[in-house]
Amino acid sequence: MPAPKPVPPKKADPARLYRAVRRIRRVEEEVARIYPSDKIKSPVHLSIGQEGIAVGVCDPLEPRDAVSGTYRGHATYLAKGGNLNAMMAELFGKDTGCARGKGGSMHLVDMKANVLGCSAVVGTTVPVAAGFAMAQKMRKTGAVVACFLGDGASEEGCFPETLNFAALHKLPVIFVCENNGFAIHEPLAKRWATDKLCERVRTYGIPAVRFADSDTVKIRDHIAKALPAMRKGGGPIFLECMTWRWREHVGPGEDYDAGFRSKADLAKWQKKDPVVVLAKKLDKKVKAAIDAEIEAELAAAVQFAETSPWPDAKELYSDVFA
Amino acid sequence: MPAPKPVPPKKADPARLYRAVRRIRRVEEEVARIYPSDKIKSPVHLSIGQEGIAVGVCDPLEPRDAVSGTYRGHATYLAKGGNLNAMMAELFGKDTGCARGKGGSMHLVDMKANVLGCSAVVGTTVPVAAGFAMAQKMRKTGAVVACFLGDGASEEGCFPETLNFAALHKLPVIFVCENNGFAIHEPLAKRWATDKLCERVRTYGIPAVRFADSDTVKIRDHIAKALPAMRKGGGPIFLECMTWRWREHVGPGEDYDAGFRSKADLAKWQKKDPVVVLAKKLDKKVKAAIDAEIEAELAAAVQFAETSPWPDAKELYSDVFA
Amino acid sequence: MSSRKKLPPPPLTWPGRMEDGRRVLRYVDALSEAVALEMTRDEKVFLFGLDVDDHKSIQGSTRGLLERFGKDRVFTTPLSEDAMTGVAIGAAMAGMRPIHVHIRMDFLMLCMNQIVNIASKARYMYGGQVKVPMVVRSIIGKSWGQGAQHSQALHSLFMHLPGMKVAAPSNAHDAKGCTIAAIRDDNPVLMMEHRLLYPTEAVVNEGAYVVPPGRSRVCRFGRDVTIVGVSNMVVEALRAAELLSEAGVSAEVIDPIWLAPLDTDTIIESARRTRKVLIADNGWLNCGASAEIAARLAEALAGEGPIQIKRVGFAPTPCPPSPELENAFYPNPGTIAAAAYALAKPDAPAWAPDPAATKLAYQLQFKGPF
Amino acid sequence: MSSRKKLPPPPLTWPGRMEDGRRVLRYVDALSEAVALEMTRDEKVFLFGLDVDDHKSIQGSTRGLLERFGKDRVFTTPLSEDAMTGVAIGAAMAGMRPIHVHIRMDFLMLCMNQIVNIASKARYMYGGQVKVPMVVRSIIGKSWGQGAQHSQALHSLFMHLPGMKVAAPSNAHDAKGCTIAAIRDDNPVLMMEHRLLYPTEAVVNEGAYVVPPGRSRVCRFGRDVTIVGVSNMVVEALRAAELLSEAGVSAEVIDPIWLAPLDTDTIIESARRTRKVLIADNGWLNCGASAEIAARLAEALAGEGPIQIKRVGFAPTPCPPSPELENAFYPNPGTIAAAAYALAKPDAPAWAPDPAATKLAYQLQFKGPF
Ligand SMILES: Cc1ncc(C[n+]2csc(CCOP(=O)(O)OP(=O)(O)O)c2C)c(N)n1
Ligand SMILES: Cc1ncc(C[n+]2csc(CCOP(=O)(O)OP(=O)(O)O)c2C)c(N)n1
Ligand SMILES: [Mg+2]
Ligand SMILES: [Mg+2]
């Protein structure tokens, strides 16, 4: 029943977008709720507040297209159609998990939905995504790869290395930098000499756009417009999406008492909450129906995870080699 | 008798600059001459044709300033006042070599002259140079570090990582990219998505200038002008110096028969030969005297290397640890 | 060492005192105390790395340093481990004494080029003209669902390199002494700490002292079998030794403390008596620390007559997060005791201690994530 | 294997033929032939890496491939080893079969993050959903003045990793068979080639064949001592064995061929007979391949009675370029023979072969630089 999205629509559909952001929000809220029970034994990096970006980017993608997410990857996984039951089971460490209990929250993967595996080492997925895109080019599939990274990841040398290579070979990569202003607790000011990231990316010949509000519809339309040329060998594009992580870096709570960022900033960003913004565009009844559907799906997923079996001890040794 | 240069002159002195480029040229020609005898058992990467850059950058530097060179490091080593006898002995693998026979041509070093050790792994010296510069800043010595790198080295992730860090911390680093258009035999077109290197460097807030002809005097004056601000915490600067490697990538010969670049291009660059250009500014007698001095010094250096003892076998085990 | 075991199970008020007045300190606090002492003594010492200056202060191990020494000597960096390692090397060559901190050992794989190709070789390939007095602090995260990339103990990669030193303190006393020794060492030193040891306490003198390389410690004397433990495996081996003693086997437990240079003389001496050696490494076996120790033992002793050598360590797999799998991935006091028992009593039926007795306080105490 | 020794010393016209009509091929040409065959068979195979397409063609080992398969399947890259490794991994995950070439093994230190944290773990940590059929070709440059950063043999770093395979062919036959096996393998495989072996010749069949992991080869049978050689040390051990036989010692020589997975059964079987084992590695000892082999031998055999094990390898220093120092840095047939002799005849006076007899044709042939 989940993962709907066989053919992407030509136009932004508010109901569809709302459904997607709301679903991710609710899944993560549920994860946060369950977390203190210690049933989830895997560090969770919630993207609450940032969901609109993943949804905006993934909405126009086709099944053949791929996404590559970070350890903060629940949103990308779900937005691209990753299986919810398998995700929840993975967080619980169950054999039915998407990585059969061998990945955890930071390594979600669903190759059937073309969700490439996430990685806990910042930046590592960026060149891997480019390699996946290179294979698409070599095999002329016309597929593109959306590669998500944080502002922190952009500081790793493999990022400019990958930009150069992707531009040189005109690889079909959508680089999406989710700039939430922090790497764990360290602000940009301590890490970036300047904030001219888009300018820098343009020097590789890659079109780069900054989305100051990261409006879901605007991002969606930008991608939808870019896709045809990319599918024909037009090369990579880059998006810098300004955003805000509502919760703490890792774990279910908040971190405003730590003093490194303020609740006032949160309030500012909450005004742009994609769930609220998109909800406003919907008829109340439509919204209520969607919400109910999501709750049912979510409850089923938790139930699935809870009742799924643990991996057998001998599975420790399986899949080391193919 | 060698390594003259206690206090850098206020102004470009053609005789002095000529002496420096001519000396490097002759040293390398002599290395090339000796090479086939197999007395030098260390791969040599000659900078013949590129000497003007090292000389232009190093001329205004003070003894307290440092340079960091690449495996193509003979020119930087000599331009900064590295000991010639010790260099020649190092190429011969002798105990009197600057690295006591444990470095070879690619690892020249002379810490007394503040010539930081060169490295054979492309790009590795770039962050090391920045670290050396950071120490200058921490200890408030007012010294700067000139960090040389090739166009190829600029592709390694550690280069942008270092640019960002150096700009963020306003480190006194002069980044000098010697862009000779090739990494071994691979042209820029196969490696760079665009040639907007200076533009890219500027996005870090680092002033960047391209020298299309790499005129020794122009480079020299540019550095001389930049130094006072850098000594006071003004932060790094960047130079892209277009140039041409006359000889083959490694070894004493030429490589125009290999077909990947043309002798016509060589001829074009030879018209800008810094040795010739600077010689023209000198009185014939002055030039002759300098030339004679250089020959004497060079002959003495080869003699020194030839007659120096081999390292004792037990030296294999020394200096693994300090 | 054994003093620790006398501590009452609930943590003391901190910094605590033994009944005889000696101070006990947690491993995590011993680390920051060591750095604070050295930064006070020598202004060339500085500490940097991702997140060393935030409120979590590398799980507490850099706590107070920013406040005390200021942001010029205690600072975070961009996410650029490769270049930052080069920066540390360059600063060290210029006479500073950097401490570069990594919250997980896994991230050191980004630093390999600088560590292998420059740091470990600089003194040699520059003919003794430079030295690189640099400390790289890294922490092993025992999994608790962290998964394959946040749990690695990669010490053997560094033990392989001439020119590198490697310390793996198993207790608060050594954590402090090794850190101070590392900072004072004129060579690159890798500190391998273990996250789960952070809350463990030991008697730690207040002043500066060094636990230098070159001397393994016999933590517990025994007759029947020698157990060598690496990092937290020392603690687990000590517990295993208690369990073994209940089963009538007297185990000697040795902590190499420093893995490079590695003192195998102490181990060889013990093995010459017991002729049965179990090496419990907190890492993979292939080409691991356990392989080196076993090889040296074999070279030194196997020609003299029968000697039984066995290794236990991580399963030959990446580390899985699912709890059951993860438990099976790691050696523990039960598996260590069982293996040692089999060595000591080859003819007796196989024995393993009651699983309930093999859970260690310092592990149970921990709740993820970190 | 032994056929090679029957070849006349000056190289045959190439590709040469034995008197019995069998073809001999150089190691370097066997490498490119293997890739050409596989690229013909499977269009998913492609080859990339710095300088694979220039006129020097990685010292000849990629010769002709560009011409034959075109620039979409044979291409150079920017100097970005870290990202290019990730690109290879990503392409492999998408079903391609990349061969990523490095002209020196030293440069792999830039690839460690991708290899350790992604390639070797991807299949496992993604629950079997992906595979990473990637080949990493790397070449050891025996020094000839190359110095510390251009001479390393770092195979043990990769042997340490679950999920990685490592091949180290010592002759042209295996170079071809291992390369084909590596390309067909569904896992990341590191090929460790040796530059000085490139001109050596062996009988090499014309079609495709595999030399798969899992089986060490006994290259020469002997009674008194077992010598295990790694990479070019196999060749040097074979020469040592000849010298030893002149001194009345019968040496068995074993080539593991693949270092991971490592077949130690064959070695153990031999050692069970000779009870004297010398391991000659082309690398450092600490936590090296030699440590692993020694450890496994000790675990398997030392309890049964006396067994003598000894390792020789690189000196525990970076590699110096000065010729005298460099000579002392490497094991050679003379030092291998002397060490094996001491094991075989512990009570006889020390013996070493005439140094003139220990120089190997394949080394003398080489003139730097490369
Ligand atoms: C290579 C590496 N260095 C450091 C870390 C520790 N770390 C985990 S998340 C993180 C912050 C990353 O910030 P960003 O890329 O902006 O992503 P965000 O968490 O903000 O989504 C850091 C430094 C890591 N996982 N990997
Ligand atoms: C990390 C690394 N990759 C590859 C090589 C092989 N290599 C040696 S020199 C060189 C070219 C470097 O080009 P550039 O930086 O432009 O310097 P140039 O030789 O032109 O002076 C390459 C690829 C190396 N030494 N180190
Ligand atoms: Mg961020
Ligand atoms: Mg160049």
Side-chain angles (χ1 to χ4, degrees):
Chain A
M1 131 172 193
K5 186 146 75 85
V7 176
K10 293 260 151 34
K11 286 208 168 161
D13 168 358
R16 181 185 167 94
L17 293 173
Y18 170 74
R19 188 186 192 289
V21 294
R22 165 89 186 179
R23 181 163 170 266
I24 297 169
R25 173 71 50 86
R26 285 294 302 125
V27 169
E28 291 210 308
E29 285 173 348
E30 187 66 4
V31 166
R33 189 189 63 75
I34 297 168
Y35 202 79
S37 72
D38 212 23
K39 284 184 185 166
I40 293 173
K41 270 218 168 91
S42 175
V44 292
H45 300 73
L46 303 180
S47 40
I48 291 180
Q50 308 189 189
E51 307 91 335
I53 302 168
V55 170
V57 169
C58 293
D59 185 75
L61 298 184
E62 298 178 15
R64 62 174 162 165
D65 300 321
V67 296
S68 160
T70 71
Y71 52 89
R72 194 180 304 289
H74 300 172
T76 34
Y77 176 95
L78 292 170
K80 183 59 175 63
N83 185 295
L84 174 59
N85 281 356
M87 166 181 159
M88 198 61 84
E90 187 60 33
L91 302 192
F92 279 67
K94 295 301 182 73
D95 193 46
T96 52
C98 57
R100 306 196 58 205
K102 292 171 171 180
S105 163
M106 298 193 288
H107 303 292
L108 297 183
V109 62
D110 187 340
M111 293 303 285
K112 272 198 214 114
N114 273 318
V115 177
L116 309 185
C118 301
S119 164
V121 181
V122 174
T124 39
T125 45
V126 174
V128 174
F132 202 87
M134 186 170 82
Q136 306 314 310
K137 190 190 163 198
M138 286 174 150
R139 307 178 97 173
K140 304 190 173 53
T141 65
V144 308
V145 180
C147 169
F148 286 75
L149 61 137
D151 46 296
S154 76
E155 297 151 25
E156 295 285 359
C158 67
F159 175 60
E161 285 184 0
T162 304
L163 287 178
N164 181 46
F165 185 75
L168 180 69
H169 286 268
K170 296 206 176 302
L171 303 183
V173 187
I174 303 168
F175 293 101
V176 183
C177 178
E178 297 185 86
N179 185 346
N180 60 14
F182 289 89
I184 309 190
H185 315 109
E186 302 288 8
L188 286 181
K190 285 198 202 173
R191 302 181 285 115
W192 285 16
T194 72
D195 67 350
K196 301 182 180 175
L197 180 59
C198 281
E199 260 185 61
R200 187 172 310 138
V201 172
R202 276 182 217 122
T203 68
Y204 293 97
I206 301 176
V209 178
R210 175 188 272 194
F211 291 84
D213 294 333
S214 291
D215 179 85
T216 311
V217 175
K218 278 191 202 146
I219 291 173
R220 193 239 167 251
D221 290 347
H222 181 77
I223 300 290
K225 220 171 117 184
L227 280 173
M230 290 186 71
R231 298 202 190 283
K232 286 190 211 118
I237 65 169
F238 178 83
L239 285 70
E240 183 183 12
C241 300
M242 310 308 287
T243 185
W244 189 258
R245 154 167 70 72
W246 294 11
R247 302 275 175 120
E248 61 188 334
H249 168 70
V250 56
E254 295 190 335
D255 58 8
Y256 297 93
D257 54 349
F260 71 97
R261 56 184 199 155
S262 80
K263 232 169 167 157
D265 282 324
L266 170 64
K268 226 166 56 193
W269 279 95
Q270 283 182 324
K271 289 204 191 105
K272 306 174 193 169
D273 181 356
V275 178
V276 176
V277 168
L278 288 161
K280 285 200 188 120
K281 304 189 181 192
L282 300 188
D283 175 279
K284 280 227 173 92
K285 264 204 251 153
V286 172
K287 175 181 177 304
I290 292 174
D291 291 356
E293 244 177 75
I294 289 172
E295 294 309 314
E297 185 195 357
L298 183 51
V302 173
Q303 170 78 2
F304 176 79
E306 296 253 19
T307 57
S308 283
W310 295 104
D312 192 278
K314 76 176 183 328
E315 293 296 327
L316 173 62
Y317 300 98
S318 66
D319 283 332
V320 176
F321 289 104
Chain B
M1 129 173 189
K5 187 144 76 83
V7 176
K10 293 263 151 30
K11 287 207 166 161
D13 169 358
R16 181 188 168 93
L17 293 174
Y18 170 75
R19 188 186 194 290
V21 292
R22 165 89 188 181
R23 182 164 170 265
I24 297 168
R25 173 71 50 87
R26 286 294 302 126
V27 169
E28 290 209 309
E29 285 174 348
E30 188 66 6
V31 166
R33 189 189 63 76
I34 297 169
Y35 202 79
S37 72
D38 213 24
K39 284 184 185 166
I40 293 173
K41 270 221 168 89
S42 174
V44 292
H45 300 73
L46 303 181
S47 39
I48 290 180
Q50 308 189 189
E51 307 91 336
I53 302 168
V55 169
V57 170
C58 292
D59 186 75
L61 299 184
E62 298 178 15
R64 63 174 161 165
D65 299 322
V67 296
S68 160
T70 71
Y71 52 88
R72 194 179 303 289
H74 300 173
T76 34
Y77 176 94
L78 291 170
K80 183 59 174 63
N83 186 294
L84 174 59
N85 282 355
M87 167 182 157
M88 198 60 85
E90 187 60 32
L91 301 193
F92 277 67
K94 296 301 182 72
D95 194 46
T96 51
C98 58
R100 304 195 60 203
K102 291 172 171 177
S105 163
M106 299 194 288
H107 303 293
L108 297 183
V109 61
D110 187 341
M111 294 302 285
K112 274 198 212 112
N114 272 319
V115 177
L116 309 186
C118 301
S119 165
V121 182
V122 174
T124 40
T125 44
V126 174
V128 173
F132 203 88
M134 187 171 80
Q136 307 313 311
K137 190 189 164 199
M138 286 174 149
R139 306 176 98 172
K140 304 189 173 55
T141 66
V144 309
V145 180
C147 168
F148 286 75
L149 62 137
D151 47 296
S154 76
E155 296 151 24
E156 295 285 358
C158 67
F159 174 61
E161 285 185 1
T162 303
L163 287 177
N164 181 46
F165 186 74
L168 182 68
H169 285 269
K170 297 205 175 301
L171 302 183
V173 187
I174 302 168
F175 293 102
V176 183
C177 178
E178 296 185 86
N179 185 346
N180 59 15
F182 289 89
I184 309 189
H185 315 111
E186 302 288 7
L188 286 181
K190 285 199 202 172
R191 303 181 284 114
W192 285 16
T194 73
D195 67 349
K196 301 185 181 176
L197 180 59
C198 281
E199 259 186 61
R200 186 172 310 137
V201 172
R202 278 183 214 119
T203 68
Y204 293 98
I206 301 176
V209 178
R210 174 188 272 194
F211 291 85
D213 295 332
S214 291
D215 179 87
T216 311
V217 174
K218 278 192 203 146
I219 290 172
R220 192 240 168 250
D221 289 347
H222 182 77
I223 301 288
K225 220 171 119 185
L227 281 172
M230 290 187 71
R231 299 201 190 285
K232 286 191 210 115
I237 65 169
F238 178 83
L239 284 70
E240 183 184 12
C241 300
M242 310 310 286
T243 184
W244 188 258
R245 155 167 68 71
W246 293 11
R247 303 274 175 121
E248 61 188 335
H249 169 69
V250 57
E254 294 191 337
D255 58 9
Y256 297 94
D257 55 348
F260 70 97
R261 56 183 199 156
S262 81
K263 232 172 167 154
D265 282 325
L266 170 64
K268 226 166 57 193
W269 279 96
Q270 282 182 324
K271 289 204 190 106
K272 306 175 192 170
D273 181 356
V275 178
V276 176
V277 168
L278 288 161
K280 284 202 188 120
K281 303 189 184 192
L282 300 189
D283 175 279
K284 281 229 171 90
K285 264 205 252 154
V286 172
K287 175 179 177 308
I290 292 173
D291 290 356
E293 244 178 76
I294 289 172
E295 294 309 314
E297 185 194 356
L298 184 50
V302 173
Q303 169 78 1
F304 176 80
E306 297 255 19
T307 57
S308 283
W310 296 105
D312 192 277
K314 75 176 187 325
E315 292 299 326
L316 173 62
Y317 300 98
S318 65
D319 283 330
V320 176
F321 288 105
Chain C
M1 281 296 296
S2 56
S3 60
R4 207 171 4 154
K5 284 183 288 158
K6 288 182 218 143
L7 298 179
L12 301 179
T13 40
W14 178 84
R17 300 252 158 221
M18 302 289 293
E19 274 147 46
D20 61 9
R22 288 177 301 160
R23 185 184 68 149
V24 297
L25 202 62
R26 296 184 303 170
Y27 189 104
V28 58
D29 300 309
L31 290 168
S32 61
E33 182 169 285
V35 172
L37 282 166
E38 290 304 288
M39 288 186 73
T40 305
R41 186 187 59 79
D42 182 351
E43 62 179 21
K44 295 190 293 303
V45 179
F46 69 95
L47 179 126
F48 78 130
L50 276 168
D51 309 318
V52 298
D53 62 353
D54 75 8
H55 61 283
K56 295 247 170 135
S57 55
I58 310 291
Q59 291 144 359
S61 66
T62 62
R63 185 161 296 145
L65 298 175
L66 171 66
E67 293 71 14
R68 208 156 140 198
F69 300 102
K71 68 185 176 42
D72 290 345
R73 294 180 69 194
V74 178
F75 53 94
T76 192
T77 71
L79 279 78
S80 304
E81 287 88 348
D82 178 5
M84 292 308 104
T85 307
V87 164
I89 293 170
M93 284 186 186
M96 302 296 291
R97 303 189 86 86
I99 306 170
H100 188 198
V101 185
H102 300 269
I103 203 163
R104 291 182 193 283
M105 192 159 199
D106 313 71
F107 307 156
L108 288 184
M109 293 305 94
L110 283 156
C111 312
M112 288 304 274
N113 185 38
Q114 288 289 338
I115 290 177
V116 175
N117 285 324
I118 307 277
S120 71
K121 298 173 171 51
R123 182 163 184 82
Y124 193 85
M125 80 184 170
Y126 300 138
Q129 283 205 38
V130 303
K131 50 188 191 183
V132 185
M134 160 175 91
V135 179
V136 179
R137 275 190 53 202
S138 68
I139 308 171
I140 306 165
K142 188 166 169 182
S143 192
W144 248 264
Q146 305 275 307
Q149 296 174 330
H150 272 41
S151 55
Q152 292 170 90
L154 297 162
H155 40 298
S156 73
L157 275 49
F158 302 93
M159 293 170 67
H160 189 54
L161 306 172
M164 274 304 287
K165 297 188 179 180
V166 181
S170 69
N171 61 79
H173 172 269
D174 292 348
K176 178 170 171 182
C178 289
T179 300
I180 294 178
I183 294 170
R184 294 184 185 178
D185 202 295
D186 274 341
N187 301 284
V189 178
L190 177 78
M191 293 284 306
M192 179 170 84
E193 306 161 10
H194 197 294
R195 173 64 185 95
L196 290 198
L197 296 175
Y198 270 30
T200 63
E201 292 168 315
V203 169
V204 174
N205 290 342
E206 319 224 348
Y209 61 89
V210 295
V211 175
R215 200 58 205 262
S216 298
R217 180 189 293 120
V218 180
C219 304
R220 178 185 169 121
F221 293 94
R223 282 179 322 272
D224 301 331
V225 59
T226 302
I227 308 179
V228 181
V230 172
S231 181
N232 68 319
M233 285 300 142
V234 175
V235 181
E236 316 224 347
L238 285 167
R239 177 69 190 136
E242 290 173 349
L243 298 167
L244 283 163
S245 87
E246 290 165 20
V249 171
S250 160
E252 182 142 315
V253 176
I254 299 181
D255 179 355
I257 313 174
W258 286 78
L259 300 174
L262 173 66
D263 163 34
T264 21
D265 290 351
T266 304
I267 300 170
I268 288 169
E269 218 170 88
S270 170
R272 184 162 269 137
R273 276 186 286 107
T274 62
R275 300 210 71 85
K276 293 175 180 194
V277 186
L278 177 70
I279 306 154
D281 191 9
N282 178 49
W284 289 304
L285 299 188
N286 276 348
C287 298
S290 67
E292 182 59 28
I293 294 168
R296 292 199 195 175
L297 280 168
E299 287 183 300
L301 295 180
E304 295 174 2
I307 174 160
Q308 289 192 330
I309 299 174
K310 195 169 160 49
R311 299 180 284 164
V312 294
F314 290 174
T317 75
C319 178
S322 187
E324 286 297 301
L325 301 182
E326 189 181 294
N327 279 345
F329 177 81
Y330 289 106
N332 63 46
T335 57
I336 293 170
Y341 187 91
L343 282 180
K345 306 206 167 187
D347 303 323
W351 166 89
D354 175 4
T358 68
K359 304 235 161 69
L360 289 174
Y362 84 93
Q363 299 178 322
L364 294 175
Q365 214 170 311
F366 178 76
K367 287 253 178 225
F370 37 39
Chain D
M1 280 295 297
S2 57
S3 59
R4 203 170 8 152
K5 282 184 286 157
K6 289 183 218 140
L7 298 179
L12 301 180
T13 39
W14 180 84
R17 299 253 159 219
M18 301 290 291
E19 276 146 46
D20 61 8
R22 287 178 301 160
R23 185 184 66 149
V24 296
L25 204 61
R26 296 184 304 170
Y27 189 104
V28 58
D29 300 308
L31 290 168
S32 61
E33 182 169 287
V35 173
L37 283 166
E38 290 304 289
M39 288 185 73
T40 304
R41 186 187 59 80
D42 183 350
E43 62 179 23
K44 295 192 292 304
V45 179
F46 70 95
L47 178 123
F48 77 130
L50 276 168
D51 310 318
V52 298
D53 62 354
D54 74 9
H55 61 282
K56 296 247 170 135
S57 55
I58 311 292
Q59 291 143 2
S61 65
T62 62
R63 186 161 295 147
L65 298 175
L66 171 66
E67 292 72 15
R68 208 155 143 198
F69 300 101
K71 66 185 177 43
D72 289 346
R73 293 180 71 195
V74 178
F75 52 95
T76 191
T77 70
L79 279 79
S80 303
E81 287 88 348
D82 178 7
M84 293 308 103
T85 307
V87 164
I89 294 169
M93 284 186 188
M96 301 298 290
R97 303 187 87 86
I99 306 170
H100 188 199
V101 185
H102 300 267
I103 202 164
R104 291 180 192 285
M105 192 158 201
D106 313 71
F107 307 155
L108 288 183
M109 294 303 94
L110 283 156
C111 312
M112 289 302 275
N113 186 38
Q114 287 290 339
I115 291 178
V116 175
N117 285 325
I118 306 277
S120 71
K121 297 173 172 49
R123 182 163 184 82
Y124 193 86
M125 79 185 173
Y126 300 138
Q129 284 206 38
V130 303
K131 52 187 189 183
V132 185
M134 160 175 90
V135 179
V136 180
R137 276 190 53 202
S138 67
I139 308 171
I140 305 166
K142 188 165 170 184
S143 193
W144 249 266
Q146 304 275 308
Q149 295 174 330
H150 271 41
S151 56
Q152 291 171 90
L154 297 161
H155 40 297
S156 73
L157 274 49
F158 302 92
M159 294 170 66
H160 189 55
L161 306 173
M164 273 306 286
K165 297 188 180 180
V166 181
S170 69
N171 60 79
H173 172 270
D174 292 350
K176 179 171 171 182
C178 289
T179 300
I180 294 179
I183 294 170
R184 295 183 185 179
D185 203 294
D186 274 340
N187 300 283
V189 179
L190 177 78
M191 292 285 304
M192 178 168 86
E193 306 160 10
H194 196 294
R195 173 64 184 95
L196 290 198
L197 296 175
Y198 270 30
T200 64
E201 294 168 314
V203 170
V204 174
N205 290 340
E206 318 223 350
Y209 60 89
V210 295
V211 175
R215 199 61 205 261
S216 298
R217 180 189 293 121
V218 180
C219 305
R220 178 185 171 122
F221 293 94
R223 284 179 320 273
D224 302 332
V225 59
T226 303
I227 308 180
V228 182
V230 172
S231 180
N232 67 320
M233 285 300 141
V234 176
V235 182
E236 316 225 347
L238 285 167
R239 177 68 190 136
E242 289 173 350
L243 298 167
L244 283 163
S245 86
E246 291 165 20
V249 171
S250 160
E252 182 143 318
V253 176
I254 300 180
D255 179 355
I257 313 174
W258 285 78
L259 300 174
L262 173 66
D263 162 35
T264 21
D265 290 351
T266 304
I267 301 170
I268 287 168
E269 219 170 87
S270 170
R272 184 164 270 138
R273 278 187 285 108
T274 63
R275 301 212 71 85
K276 295 178 178 192
V277 187
L278 178 69
I279 306 154
D281 191 9
N282 178 48
W284 289 303
L285 299 188
N286 276 347
C287 297
S290 68
E292 182 60 27
I293 294 168
R296 292 198 195 176
L297 280 169
E299 286 183 301
L301 295 180
E304 295 175 3
I307 176 159
Q308 288 191 329
I309 299 174
K310 193 167 161 51
R311 298 180 284 164
V312 294
F314 290 174
T317 74
C319 178
S322 187
E324 286 297 301
L325 301 182
E326 190 181 292
N327 279 344
F329 176 80
Y330 289 105
N332 63 47
T335 56
I336 293 171
Y341 187 91
L343 281 180
K345 306 206 167 189
D347 302 324
W351 166 88
D354 176 3
T358 66
K359 304 234 161 71
L360 288 175
Y362 83 92
Q363 298 178 323
L364 293 175
Q365 214 170 312
F366 179 75
K367 286 255 177 225
F370 35 42

